[in-house]
């Protein structure tokens, strides 16, 4: 896996060109086949929409590694358990399209469930060892849903490279492992975590937070940074999160030279991670 350095957002040269919107595989393939015939390198950023600067930083990063950037927006039902927030997940398509156009994205893929899961929802791939523990202990359905939607997206979009955020660090490892295990000819690149001025990792789910919860949420990165520096242990970081106002800690753990955490604030589940120093 390649790690690219942080980048500042710049408009890429395709900003003035029309952004394609594809809702079917035929729409998608007719554009991509033209690009491939011209020898162009295609970069792909899958998302669930409700786009923020973290997503846009991945588009910018993709533009540095590819000639054409494709973004997808698809809220994947199979990675949500029945009690989770699939129905409430924010959907802001018109806003998202404006942001993607401003970022110079060449094509946005907006498939429906039928288009993605044409032929059925049966799993075609399984998550590997990177999926064990952490998120899987609390969301056992999650990585199965993620690898199966990403595999379908990859087989439809046929990108040369694909970008995933370090915000979802375990997911990035699971995808990199899948690509290797199944010999997919796609380079996976991780993008750095985009944060607000207080260090809070940007997330579509931050929209669920009340003003008071937002203040508590902003403590998380500071507590994880202390743990990443070795000033406190992961269990002490968990206690500090509770003392700061988090309601429940799913985990605070060290893995991949990172401190990774998931914690609940009211009905909102937040995740974040920090490299150890
Ligand atoms: P999502 O729409 O939440 O599925 O995220 C789509 C992609 O954006 C995933 O690869 C995420 O890891 C990435 N992403 C989400 N939030 C951030 C962030 N704050 N910084 C960098 N990447 C992010």
């Amino acid at each position: 896996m390649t790690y690219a350095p942080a980048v500042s957002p710049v408009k890429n040269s395709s900003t003035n060109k029309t952004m394609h919107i594809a809702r079917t595989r035929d729409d998608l393939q007719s554009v991509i086949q033209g690009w491939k015939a011209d020898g162009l390198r295609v970069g792909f950023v899958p998302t669930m929409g409700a786009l923020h600067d973290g997503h846009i930083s991945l588009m910018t990063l993709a533009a540095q590694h590819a000639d054409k950037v494709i973004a997808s927006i698809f809220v994947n039902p199979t990675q949500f358990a029945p009690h989770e927030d699939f129905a409430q997940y924010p959907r802001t398509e018109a806003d998202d399209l404006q942001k993607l156009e401003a970022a110079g994205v060449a094509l946005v893929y907006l498939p429906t469930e039928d288009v993605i899961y044409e032929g059925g929802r049966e799993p075609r791939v399984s998550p590997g060892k990177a999926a064990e523990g952490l998120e899987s202990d609390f969301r056992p359905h999650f990585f199965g849903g993620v690898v199966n939607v990403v595999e379908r997206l990859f087989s439809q979009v046929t990108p040369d490279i694909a970008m995933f955020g370090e915000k979802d660090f375990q997911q990035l490892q699971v995808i990199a492992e899948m690509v290797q295990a199944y010999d997919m000819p796609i380079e996976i690149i991780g993008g750095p975590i985009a944060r607000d001025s207080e260090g809070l990792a940007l997330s579509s789910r931050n929209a669920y937070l009340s003003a008071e919860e937002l203040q508590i949420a902003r403590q998380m990165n500071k507590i994880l940074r202390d743990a990443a520096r070795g000033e406190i242990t992961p269990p002490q970081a968990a206690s500090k999160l509770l003392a700061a106002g988090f309601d429940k800690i799913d985990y605070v753990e060290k893995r991949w030279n990172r401190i990774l955490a998931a914690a609940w604030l009211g009905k909102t589940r937040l995740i974040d991670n920090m490299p150890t120093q």
Side-chain angles (χ1 to χ4, degrees), residues 45-55 57-58 79 89 163-169 171 191-195 200-205:
V45 185
T47 82
M48 299 205 300
L51 301 182
H52 50 64
D53 286 350
H55 297 110
S57 71
L58 294 181
Q79 69 193 65
Y89 199 84
M163 334 298 291
F164 290 84
E166 291 180 348
K167 157 88 178 356
D168 301 274
F169 202 82
Q171 171 174 280
I193 303 177
R195 300 179 178 280
L200 173 65
L202 300 182
S203 165
S204 307
R205 290 191 167 99

Side-chain angles (χ1 to χ4, degrees), residues 97-119:
L97 292 177
Q98 278 192 0
K99 289 179 184 170
L100 293 172
E101 187 154 34
V105 165
L107 186 151
V108 187
Y109 187 34
L110 299 169
T112 58
E113 238 176 275
D114 290 348
V115 169
I116 287 288
Y117 292 110
E118 188 192 340

Side-chain angles (χ1 to χ4, degrees), residues 84-97:
E84 293 182 341
D85 57 342
F86 175 70
Q88 293 81 42
Y89 199 84
R91 288 161 173 86
T92 58
E93 187 178 298
D95 255 29
D96 291 349
L97 292 177

